[in-house]
Amino acid sequence: MVAGMLVWAAGGFVAAAPLPAGGTPPTLAQIDDLQAVDPERALDLATKLRAGAKTEAEQLAVDLRIAQLRRLLTNYTAAHELAQLGLARATALGDLKLIAGFRYVLARTQWSLGNYPAALELYLQTLKDAEAAGDLGTAFDAHSGISTIFSDFKQPDQASYHLEQGRKIAEELKDLVRLGDWHKIVGNNAINRGDYVRARDEHAESLRIHRQAGSERGVADALQNLGRAYELLGDPTRG
């Protein structure tokens, strides 16, 4: 670790925890794998990895994960501050993929805070950035967020359009986790419409795909959503 290395915390930079002496530094892939199932551990690894990041691009790639994890851990102030700073630095660097990533964190944070107009605007800009960067994964995530907002505000045609675009991307990427998430979103939208049979079927498919993908987070979400669908169908014993 470089002496005096700093990482971002809410309100400013603080001294980072050193990497274990003689240990192998964590990787972005390890952090991504842990993000959904153990975000606190993932944040600890990200903080350690940030301590050894040397280039601006390396630092920003880790900062993006830290911002995502702060949001997952409901520290919305820290997530917003780090994503705003990261967006400004990524813009100065001209890295469209990082720009899309940080803007997506801002969109999700605004959604979590219930500021849906701001979230929608940020999702739409994220989609433009992701498409310009050729970042299909973030484009899928943006389509998903946009479709959820349109569904919540009873604009089914818009919601369906963005859902269909997301499905095409997930299939093109052969990304089982995102495909499982797509079925989850369709199921949640069906619940919003009162179509509980469709919701049950979509969440069952989400469960099947996430099990195939080995996604612990996806399986847990699907089981919870499937249970809710059965309860709404008047069959709480299945839930």
Side-chain angles (χ1 to χ4, degrees):
M1 171 184 152
V2 179
M5 179 65 72
L6 301 177
V7 295
W8 182 261
F13 285 95
V14 297
L19 290 170
T24 302
T27 65
L28 290 176
Q30 288 173 322
I31 293 165
D32 291 342
D33 288 343
L34 271 175
Q35 187 176 112
V37 295
D38 191 351
E40 291 184 352
R41 174 61 178 153
L43 181 59
D44 179 63
L45 290 179
T47 301
K48 290 182 172 69
L49 183 59
R50 180 59 164 81
K54 295 179 175 61
T55 69
E56 180 83 348
E58 288 174 353
Q59 292 170 6
L60 285 170
V62 183
D63 286 346
L64 176 57
R65 270 69 175 187
I66 293 174
Q68 293 167 339
L69 289 161
R70 294 291 188 194
R71 189 196 65 80
L72 280 173
L73 292 167
T74 68
N75 189 342
Y76 300 128
T77 299
H80 182 80
E81 289 175 353
L82 182 50
Q84 276 197 316
L85 179 62
L87 178 59
R89 293 171 65 198
T91 300
L93 193 64
D95 190 316
L96 286 173
K97 186 172 182 177
L98 285 170
I99 289 169
F102 281 114
R103 208 183 301 274
Y104 178 73
V105 174
L106 288 171
R108 284 299 303 268
T109 302
Q110 291 302 314
W111 182 85
S112 296
L113 293 170
N115 189 350
Y116 302 122
L120 180 58
E121 182 178 353
L122 285 161
Y123 277 137
L124 290 168
Q125 186 58 54
T126 298
L127 181 58
K128 291 180 181 178
D129 294 334
E131 288 175 342
D135 182 356
L136 293 179
T138 302
F140 170 91
D141 297 339
H143 278 300
S144 299
I146 294 166
S147 71
T148 297
I149 291 177
F150 280 132
S151 177
D152 289 344
F153 284 88
K154 312 301 182 186
Q155 298 184 45
D157 291 343
Q158 291 274 30
S160 295
Y161 169 79
H162 286 282
L163 270 175
E164 179 62 14
Q165 298 309 305
R167 182 190 63 77
K168 290 177 180 178
I169 290 172
E171 291 180 350
E172 179 179 348
L173 291 174
K174 296 180 172 58
D175 187 328
L176 288 178
V177 172
R178 283 190 166 94
L179 187 59
D181 286 345
W182 183 86
H183 284 282
K184 174 183 72 175
I185 295 166
V186 175
N188 288 339
N189 289 351
I191 285 177
N192 288 341
R193 297 193 309 271
D195 187 349
Y196 305 138
V197 172
R198 175 72 183 277
R200 177 201 62 197
D201 294 346
E202 292 294 344
H203 288 310
E205 182 65 4
S206 177
L207 177 60
R208 184 191 69 79
I209 292 172
H210 278 303
R211 279 177 170 161
Q212 182 181 350
S215 170
E216 294 179 38
R217 185 271 306 166
V219 168
D221 282 352
L223 285 170
Q224 182 178 12
N225 290 323
L226 189 57
R228 182 184 177 206
Y230 275 118
E231 287 179 2
L232 290 168
L233 285 167
D235 189 1
T237 59
R238 293 291 297 276

